[in-house]
Amino acid sequence: MHATEQRSNSAPSARSTRTYTADSLQQLDSDALLAVYRGASTPRLTDASGDMSGKLVMICGVKPPLAAWLSDFVRETNTWAGKTFSLRDDRRGEGYNRMLNDARQRFHFDSFIGRSRAGDFDALHLDYDRPENPFFARHVADEMREVSPGLYLGQAYVRILGKLRLVCYFSLVK
């Protein structure tokens, strides 16, 4: 069985004790989000197909009072609507980001299952290092795990001075 065909629950599932929604994830602090992420399962590539609605959950890397204010501000002014996924084959996929009031496809990515940056488990990776993307988007690498059926929690990383740094959590709903 290919890694893309199986679900991995290598950490105790955070979903077994609580049901989350995209809105309830926004109420959690960074430690709780990391615990939920680590306890989630690795989606199959086929699970992540089609359109998914997206929400910013939390900005990372800034002090808690500023992080809450900045997260609220970005959520209010954000034009990101979500992501669209499609399969290339049983091991790789691709997709792009959708923006509100904009029919254009933005920030294309390649998708695959690989080792998470957040622990010793797999995640669905989104690699934006594609020639058609603007230079700043090519330094972004997302990964995501399934919190509950159809609800995904993602981590967005940006390469800064040669090192990938976690900059935010996001949610996607199928």
Side-chain angles (χ1 to χ4, degrees), residues 43-152:
R44 295 177 298 238
L45 280 176
T46 54
D47 296 334
S49 62
D51 292 347
M52 293 192 196
S53 298
K55 284 188 177 187
L56 172 71
V57 174
M58 173 186 281
I59 299 286
C60 301
V62 292
K63 301 282 183 199
L66 180 58
W69 177 85
L70 189 57
S71 294
D72 287 343
F73 175 76
V74 171
R75 278 194 288 268
E76 291 297 318
T77 60
N78 190 17
T79 62
W80 180 60
K83 299 180 186 292
T84 297
F85 294 82
S86 62
L87 288 174
R88 268 196 243 148
D89 57 41
D90 67 337
R91 300 182 139 216
R92 298 196 68 82
E94 61 188 355
Y96 56 89
N97 285 268
R98 295 186 327 278
M99 311 308 262
L100 296 173
N101 303 318
D102 187 350
R104 289 179 289 176
Q105 302 170 359
R106 301 285 181 115
F107 313 124
H108 291 250
F109 55 82
D110 294 312
S111 58
F112 58 92
I113 302 296
R115 210 36 132 187
S116 175
R117 294 172 188 87
D120 190 23
F121 48 81
D122 286 342
L124 175 58
H125 288 262
L126 312 179
D127 180 5
Y128 292 87
D129 191 8
R130 292 178 51 152
E132 68 269 25
N133 285 336
F135 76 95
F136 59 86
R138 295 183 73 176
H139 295 276
V140 175
D142 295 344
E143 62 179 67
M144 56 191 247
R145 292 176 50 87
E146 191 171 27
V147 174
S148 61
L151 175 63
Y152 302 85

